[in-house]
Amino acid sequence: MQTTYKKQSVNDEHGAMLPNILLIMLLIVIIALIYVISGDRNVRSGRTIGTTSPEYMEPAATPGQAATTNNTDADTNEDADTAEFDDGLKNPESVTKYPLNDIGEGLASVETFRIDINNDGLTDKITRSRQENGTSHFSYQYKIEINTGDGFMDITPDDFYTIEGAECSLQKIRFAFSPAFRAIKISRPWEDSWPTPTPAVRDTYSLIHDQIHHIETQDLPVVCDVSELF
């Protein structure tokens, strides 16, 4: 009788443990199913575990648009390569355009800039005129006038114009007004053909007693387009 009692106790103990084991297995299965279902939803929504969802990712560059980088030097160089030449004259007071003749020759436009270039409180005047010659070459001509209080006095130096073409420019001018008036003219001679590089020269002009004076000449490298030397 004693042996039969022990066997019955063991069987009762095993019977009590079986529901617990089944409950644990059931919980494991439920957790696994939740994980699988959650992963499937992430895949369908375009998200993967451990990565940023597409709505927070940097947009890819569109065709014809450069991707943004953190390379400041590269950005600066690209801007320098593609930027249009700036002669220092901004915000014209007036712009007048003129019709050209049948072959595209003549005065194309006149822009007037009002600037106090000698800091005397009177607004002076710089005029920029574009002259076309019916080809891919053209010229900007500058006229600088000081306001005397009774009128305007022309103080433009000789050869204050540009020589420009489709291939390159032979002469360009840039103005600066701070801290004082200054003009830089860079030019080179024509030789053999328009794009043939030649040695360039830099001429600096300053305003002294309401007159523009040439104050310095500097030899520059051989180049096709003098715009590259500013």
Side-chain angles (χ1 to χ4, degrees):
M1 293 293 295
Q2 187 174 0
T3 303
T4 304
Y5 174 77
K6 288 183 178 181
K7 287 182 179 181
Q8 184 66 34
S9 297
V10 171
N11 291 335
D12 291 342
E13 183 178 354
H14 287 172
M17 292 177 59
L18 183 60
N20 293 334
I21 294 174
L22 292 176
L23 179 60
I24 292 172
M25 293 178 64
L26 180 61
L27 289 175
I28 292 174
V29 170
I30 292 173
I31 292 172
L33 287 175
I34 293 173
Y35 181 84
V36 171
I37 293 172
S38 175
D40 181 65
R41 287 179 178 175
N42 284 332
V43 170
R44 292 186 180 184
S45 64
R47 293 193 294 260
T48 56
I49 296 178
T51 64
T52 306
S53 59
E55 56 265 30
Y56 297 106
M57 294 177 64
E58 286 287 341
T62 56
Q65 178 186 9
T68 303
T69 68
N70 292 325
N71 190 338
T72 303
D73 291 336
D75 292 344
T76 302
N77 291 336
E78 183 178 351
D79 290 343
D81 292 339
T82 59
E84 185 177 353
F85 176 81
D86 179 8
D87 66 0
L89 299 178
K90 302 180 184 299
N91 303 320
E93 179 187 59
S94 64
V95 179
T96 305
K97 296 186 177 182
Y98 300 91
L100 303 176
N101 64 17
D102 293 341
I103 61 174
E105 289 180 324
L107 178 63
S109 64
V110 175
E111 298 169 276
T112 302
F113 301 85
R114 303 301 297 269
I115 307 167
D116 183 4
I117 67 176
N118 58 354
N119 297 317
D120 64 352
L122 299 176
T123 304
D124 307 303
K125 183 166 55 175
I126 298 179
T127 305
R128 181 175 66 195
S129 303
R130 176 163 174 151
Q131 191 76 31
E132 300 283 355
N133 65 1
T135 68
S136 60
H137 309 308
F138 63 94
S139 172
Y140 283 113
Q141 299 178 355
Y142 296 94
K143 184 179 181 181
I144 305 168
E145 298 174 272
I146 289 288
N147 189 343
T148 66
D150 297 324
F152 289 91
M153 178 177 61
D154 189 352
I155 60 171
T156 311
D158 294 335
D159 301 329
F160 242 53
Y161 54 83
T162 69
I163 305 173
E164 316 201 34
E167 299 90 351
C168 36
S169 297
L170 304 185
Q171 182 164 295
K172 300 278 278 187
I173 298 172
R174 174 174 287 170
F175 296 91
F177 304 97
S178 179
F181 174 88
R182 186 178 62 167
I184 303 296
K185 180 176 74 174
I186 297 181
S187 58
R188 69 172 184 86
W190 187 93
E191 182 178 307
D192 296 333
S193 66
W194 191 275
T196 301
T198 55
V201 173
R202 172 190 174 112
D203 291 299
T204 303
Y205 298 82
S206 183
L207 187 67
I208 304 173
H209 301 306
D210 288 348
Q211 294 292 327
I212 297 178
H213 294 268
H214 176 258
I215 61 174
E216 183 184 22
T217 297
Q218 179 184 359
D219 292 332
L220 297 178
V222 173
V223 71
C224 174
D225 188 355
V226 298
S227 301
E228 300 173 3
L229 301 178
F230 280 89

